[in-house]
Amino acid sequence: MRTEPKLSRLDRAFARLDREPGRPAHIDVPRMSRHRVVLFSATLAFYTAIVWAVVVSSWLVRLDWQVMFFRPYQQWPQIHAFLDYYVVLGQRGPTAVMVAAWLGWRSWRQHTLRPLLSLGAALLLLNVTVGAAKYGMGRLGPHYATVIGSNEMWRGGDIFPSGHTANAVVTWGILAYLASTPRARRWLSALSAVTSLGVGLTTVYLGTHWLSDVLLGWAAGLLILLALPWCEPLIARAETGILALRDRRRGRHAVPAPAPAPVASPTPVLTPPRPAVGEEAPVREPVAVGRTSRPPAYLAPGPHTARAERTPVTPAGSRRPPHSDRVSRGTPSARPLAGG
């Protein structure tokens, strides 16, 4: 009886990917076009300008202090409770889980790992670039500022650029990057831009970030989205490598099939030679094929005759008792007749 191996959840997910190994034809991979290169260069220039304006304590730093002294959370306290929940849309953990769940479903439907791998590549770039800038410039936040009018740079802080804003741009913008149609890409791009700017302004309202932090975080997230087409060849190789690793793992854990029984070579049937004309064909005894040969029965030596040819055995002597006075029938009696 042959039984099918029991598949795990991971094996079933990969089995669905095997149903259609190629990417659907209606989904195109964004390329680093000239328009995208121009946007990337302009955003990089904006990023550099913001950093330079903060480093030299320009008018942007003065604007930061004015907004901080304005204390928006005291001016509009009625929206404080709502914005406490809204700012969660920029936290890395909850947003990554929500977006990963949606992209996982997309991967299941489209039979490709590209959506999840694109999200992983974007989050990796976000952690490396934004994290390095945060700890490299070490700016303190409004609640920890020490000198009024100072840019608070290189003092052990980690708020420049705004991680909430950059994370909102990347996690919600990846949905627009992976959209299937141009119309969906435009709508999702506008929605992610509004959401990320709203998250950044919420951090300014709560007093956790300067206004310049939000501007730099928005530029940092946009740079990551614009640079993703450069990562597409690496994403394709990673998908191929994961599927190959899956195949090797499946091959190691596969149960070897039992070896087939050896097939005996057919016994050649020897055809007896035909007798010549006028000769009598020899009579051959039939040989039983496929049965186990039995030992020959013991036979008494000598010729054997048929039952009909055997001589009947007559018992020696008569079975009747002897009578001397009896005369056989047909024999004349020797006794003399009376009165003669």
Side-chain angles (χ1 to χ4, degrees):
M1 179 178 179
R2 185 179 179 182
T3 57
E4 296 293 336
K6 186 177 181 181
L7 300 178
S8 62
R9 293 183 179 180
L10 182 60
D11 291 333
R12 290 196 297 268
F14 278 118
R16 180 176 177 86
L17 295 176
D18 287 339
R19 296 179 188 175
E20 188 179 340
R23 185 174 290 110
H26 66 281
I27 298 177
D28 56 339
V29 178
R31 300 181 180 276
M32 203 64 184
S33 60
R34 182 178 302 178
H35 177 70
R36 189 178 288 268
V37 171
V38 171
L39 287 178
F40 181 85
S41 303
T43 307
L44 183 60
F46 179 76
Y47 185 98
T48 306
I50 295 296
V51 173
W52 177 255
V54 173
V55 169
V56 299
S57 299
S58 66
W59 60 271
L60 186 57
V61 175
R62 294 193 296 270
L63 181 61
D64 288 338
W65 281 97
Q66 291 176 2
V67 173
M68 192 271 288
F69 285 134
F70 183 71
R71 292 181 173 84
Y73 57 88
Q74 293 182 354
Q75 301 295 329
W76 303 287
Q78 61 274 14
I79 60 174
H80 195 289
F82 169 75
L83 293 181
D84 278 339
Y85 290 101
Y86 183 79
V87 78
V88 177
L89 295 177
Q91 290 184 1
R92 193 161 306 166
T95 55
V97 170
M98 289 186 289
V99 174
W102 169 257
L103 294 182
W105 183 80
R106 285 275 304 274
S107 295
W108 180 267
R109 291 294 303 272
Q110 296 177 358
H111 314 291
T112 175
L113 293 175
R114 178 176 169 261
L116 287 176
L117 292 177
S118 299
L119 175 63
L123 292 180
L124 180 62
L125 289 175
L126 176 67
N127 291 332
V128 172
T129 57
V130 176
K134 277 176 173 289
Y135 292 103
M137 289 182 280
R139 190 182 190 188
L140 292 176
H143 292 313
Y144 303 96
T146 56
V147 180
I148 297 177
S150 171
N151 56 12
E152 302 296 325
M153 297 282 285
W154 299 291
R155 296 188 179 183
D158 58 350
I159 62 152
F160 187 65
S162 171
H164 275 69
T165 307
N167 184 72
V169 172
V170 171
T171 52
W172 302 115
I174 197 70
L175 300 180
Y177 176 81
L178 296 172
S180 303
T181 60
R183 181 180 181 183
R185 186 176 295 114
R186 286 193 298 269
W187 279 100
L188 289 175
S189 298
L191 182 61
S192 62
V194 172
T195 303
S196 58
L197 283 177
V199 169
L201 293 177
T202 300
T203 61
V204 175
Y205 169 87
L206 296 175
T208 57
H209 277 288
W210 306 99
L211 181 61
S212 56
D213 298 342
V214 174
L215 296 177
L216 193 66
W218 190 84
L222 186 58
L223 283 174
I224 294 172
L225 289 179
L226 291 174
L228 272 182
W230 280 328
C231 301
E232 285 295 339
L234 182 61
I235 291 173
R237 287 196 296 268
E239 181 178 9
T240 304
I242 291 174
L243 295 179
L245 181 63
R246 184 280 315 266
D247 293 337
R248 290 195 297 267
R249 172 179 172 271
R250 181 180 295 177
R252 286 197 302 266
H253 294 282
V255 179
V263 180
S265 58
T267 304
V269 180
L270 300 178
T271 304
R274 296 183 179 180
V277 179
E279 295 183 1
E280 185 179 356
V283 179
R284 297 180 181 272
E285 296 181 359
V287 180
V289 180
R291 297 185 180 179
T292 306
S293 60
R294 298 181 180 178
Y298 177 76
L299 300 177
H304 297 273
T305 57
R307 185 178 183 87
E309 298 175 358
R310 293 178 183 175
T311 306
V313 180
T314 305
S318 176
R319 296 182 180 179
R320 296 180 181 181
H323 296 280
S324 59
D325 57 347
R326 264 187 196 184
V327 181
S328 58
R329 293 181 183 181
T331 305
S333 175
R335 184 182 296 179
L337 294 175

